[in-house]
Amino acid sequence: MIRFEKIDENTKNLEEIKQLYMDAFPFDERIPFYIMVSVGNDRGVEFLSIYDDDTWLGFIHTLVGEKLSYIFYFAIDGGLRQSGYGSKIIREYKKIHPKLSLAIEPIEEDSDNIKQRKKRLAFYEKNGFETLDTKVVEMGVEFELMGAKGMEIKESDYKSLVKKFFDSFDKDKRVLSVKEMRDADAYTIKNFVDSKELMYRAGEAIFYVGDWNIGDKVLIAAGSGNNAGDGYVVADLLNIEGIEVEILLIKDKFSEDGKYYFNRCLQKDIKYTVLDEKADYNTLRGKFDSYDYVLDCIYGTGFTGEVREPVYSLIKALNDSKASIVSADINSGMNGDTGESNICVNSDLTVSIGFLKKGLVSEEGKKHIGKLVNMDIGIIIEE
């Protein structure tokens, strides 16, 4: 008998579910998995594991509203495909949510995966869905809406569901001082989330928000603290997705958790170099010009004082380069409380982690940031 169970952080086969999610969906269609879990089964979202008695089949992730329910992700374990389970699951799930809809990639004959697109369309048509001649865009990818036969879907209802879900990524608008942020990190690690997992979530969030694509060249400019560790996670994720990435170490020095993820990069043969302290501005400028993106992970929110050589010249060259710059958590060189600096990275995008910091939203800080996004990774403030 087909049954559904809620997925949360205590689900026994959570890693198996995560791996299926990573395998089933390309990176430009995925959101960070920790968000799937943290927002799952809350605020109009269902994230469910699927079983046939005790046999695990896969998962379904659905946005649930009064007028419409929308399947965001649905995947079956690879060893069970072509077994008829897909139709059985949809049939049972439609009993729970009769006003069920989903989106598929449009049938375009020049698509690389045209066979898979046609197969998916035929599967849902067989199971009582029809295309609605309405195209929508999710995370920059165009899809076509499908609904149960006879359904009428207002685009406004669809947009309302999706907006509510994505708005929940950044549900807490509090702005913290550096000390308050440090205390929240420590409290979370002590009571809720392992430090390495928290670092992975931070890197995954930055990877998700960045606009890199296959064919891009990305450089990770990494310091020696935990901020650099976030960058090593991003490097690993970029490498997994086939995006060319290289690491530039400011020093051959690491935090404990950062070393863990740097070693993972070494195991994947990701290229790295250590900054030549004698490298001048022109040499650095030429290097940065050869990349599409540079991820700035040099200094974190705890940086105070003035940026000194050789990092001063490095930041100046980076700011003058042609590369698009993404800053991890805060722009390197910026004071996390005041936004002041003698020089700091001028970013096209800054991905703040956990909570916004006072320096990022200060008048001085705003001068150095093109776009500011804050990502909730499950950091909890002790009340």
Side-chain angles (χ1 to χ4, degrees):
M1 175 182 289
I2 302 295
R3 60 185 177 86
F4 303 93
E5 288 187 3
K6 290 181 179 180
I7 295 171
D8 59 29
E9 292 183 347
N10 297 314
T11 298
K12 290 182 179 179
N13 67 329
L14 197 60
E15 283 302 314
E16 189 176 13
I17 295 168
K18 180 178 181 179
Q19 191 59 55
L20 174 58
Y21 174 62
M22 301 288 280
D23 292 342
F25 301 97
F27 82 94
D28 57 350
E29 296 178 19
R30 294 196 305 258
I31 61 175
F33 186 73
Y34 69 85
I35 289 179
M36 298 272 286
V37 176
S38 64
V39 182
N41 308 303
D42 190 17
R43 296 180 289 278
V45 181
E46 283 187 354
F47 190 22
L48 306 174
S49 220
I50 310 166
Y51 291 87
D52 181 5
D53 292 328
D54 292 329
T55 301
W56 180 69
L57 307 179
F59 68 83
I60 193 163
H61 182 277
T62 308
L63 313 185
V64 180
E66 292 182 7
K67 299 178 181 179
L68 180 70
S69 295
Y70 176 73
I71 298 176
F72 212 52
Y73 299 104
F74 172 42
I76 296 174
D77 180 65
L80 296 173
R81 290 169 194 161
Q82 309 299 321
S83 61
Y85 271 124
S87 295
K88 292 178 183 177
I89 292 165
I90 292 296
R91 188 161 54 244
E92 291 301 312
Y93 200 60
K94 284 171 73 175
K95 293 177 184 177
I96 303 170
H97 299 294
K99 297 178 181 179
L100 196 59
S101 65
L102 54 99
I104 63 167
E105 294 172 298
I107 304 300
E108 298 170 344
E109 293 298 333
D110 59 347
S111 302
D112 294 337
N113 62 342
I114 184 63
K115 289 184 179 179
Q116 292 92 329
R117 293 188 185 197
K118 287 182 176 180
K119 190 174 180 179
R120 191 162 185 253
L121 174 63
F123 167 78
Y124 282 111
E125 286 180 336
K126 182 182 73 172
N127 285 283
F129 291 86
E130 59 185 3
T131 54
L132 302 175
D133 198 31
T134 301
K135 289 184 169 59
V136 297
V137 176
E138 294 173 3
M139 295 167 284
V141 181
E142 187 178 71
F143 295 92
E144 192 167 23
L145 280 182
M146 298 190 78
K149 286 183 179 178
M151 275 185 69
E152 290 186 11
I153 299 178
K154 293 182 179 179
E155 192 171 352
S156 59
D157 292 335
Y158 158 81
K159 287 183 176 179
S160 178
L161 268 183
V162 174
K163 183 178 186 302
K164 183 179 179 183
F165 177 59
F166 279 97
D167 283 351
S168 67
F169 290 16
D170 185 18
K171 57 185 180 296
D172 196 321
K173 302 294 183 181
R174 281 178 284 186
V175 179
L176 304 187
S177 69
V178 170
K179 182 181 184 305
E180 288 169 336
M181 190 69 240
R182 188 180 296 118
D183 289 345
D185 279 341
Y187 177 70
T188 302
I189 291 168
K190 181 179 179 181
N191 295 282
F192 301 102
V193 182
D194 175 81
S195 61
K196 288 186 177 63
E197 169 62 19
L198 207 61
M199 181 174 284
Y200 184 87
R201 291 183 185 184
E204 191 178 17
I206 296 162
F207 170 75
Y208 163 71
V209 178
D211 192 29
W212 18 65
N213 295 285
I214 300 294
D216 288 337
K217 290 180 63 180
V218 183
L219 179 70
I220 312 294
S224 56
N226 281 336
N227 190 251
D230 300 344
Y232 305 142
V233 173
V234 176
D236 186 27
L237 292 170
L238 288 167
N239 181 65
I240 288 170
E241 299 302 339
I243 297 173
E244 187 175 346
V245 61
E246 182 179 344
I247 298 168
L248 173 64
L249 299 177
I250 306 304
K251 291 182 178 180
D252 192 6
K253 182 180 177 183
F254 309 87
S255 68
E256 182 180 350
D257 289 343
K259 182 66 171 177
Y260 174 84
Y261 286 109
F262 179 72
N263 285 340
R264 180 180 289 187
C265 291
L266 293 184
Q267 291 166 7
K268 306 285 184 66
D269 293 324
I270 294 173
K271 294 186 293 184
Y272 81 94
T273 56
V274 181
L275 176 67
D276 180 356
E277 294 192 3
K278 296 179 181 179
D280 60 16
Y281 165 85
N282 290 325
T283 301
L284 292 167
R285 169 72 187 274
K287 180 176 180 64
F288 296 142
D289 278 343
S290 67
Y291 292 89
D292 298 291
Y293 289 91
V294 176
L295 177 60
D296 156 36
C297 303
I298 303 168
Y299 298 133
T301 56
F303 176 82
T304 56
E306 294 189 344
V307 178
R308 302 187 183 281
E309 293 291 2
V311 180
Y312 187 99
S313 291
L314 184 150
I315 290 178
K316 188 175 187 302
L318 180 55
N319 287 343
D320 292 343
S321 74
K322 299 174 184 178
S324 294
I325 302 172
V326 180
S327 285
D329 200 24
I330 193 169
N331 300 45
S332 290
M334 181 183 293
N335 184 294
D337 285 328
T338 68
E340 297 173 341
S341 65
N342 68 318
I343 189 172
C344 76
V345 171
N346 296 326
S347 69
D348 297 286
L349 167 69
T350 296
V351 186
S352 168
I353 300 300
F355 297 90
L356 289 169
K357 292 79 185 171
K358 290 182 177 181
L360 293 173
V361 296
S362 67
E363 289 306 309
E364 184 61 32
K366 290 176 182 177
K367 297 176 184 178
H368 303 282
I369 300 171
K371 180 181 180 182
L372 177 62
V373 175
N374 190 68
M375 293 295 287
D376 175 10
I377 63 167
I379 295 174
I380 298 169
I381 299 173
E382 184 176 11
E383 301 294 346

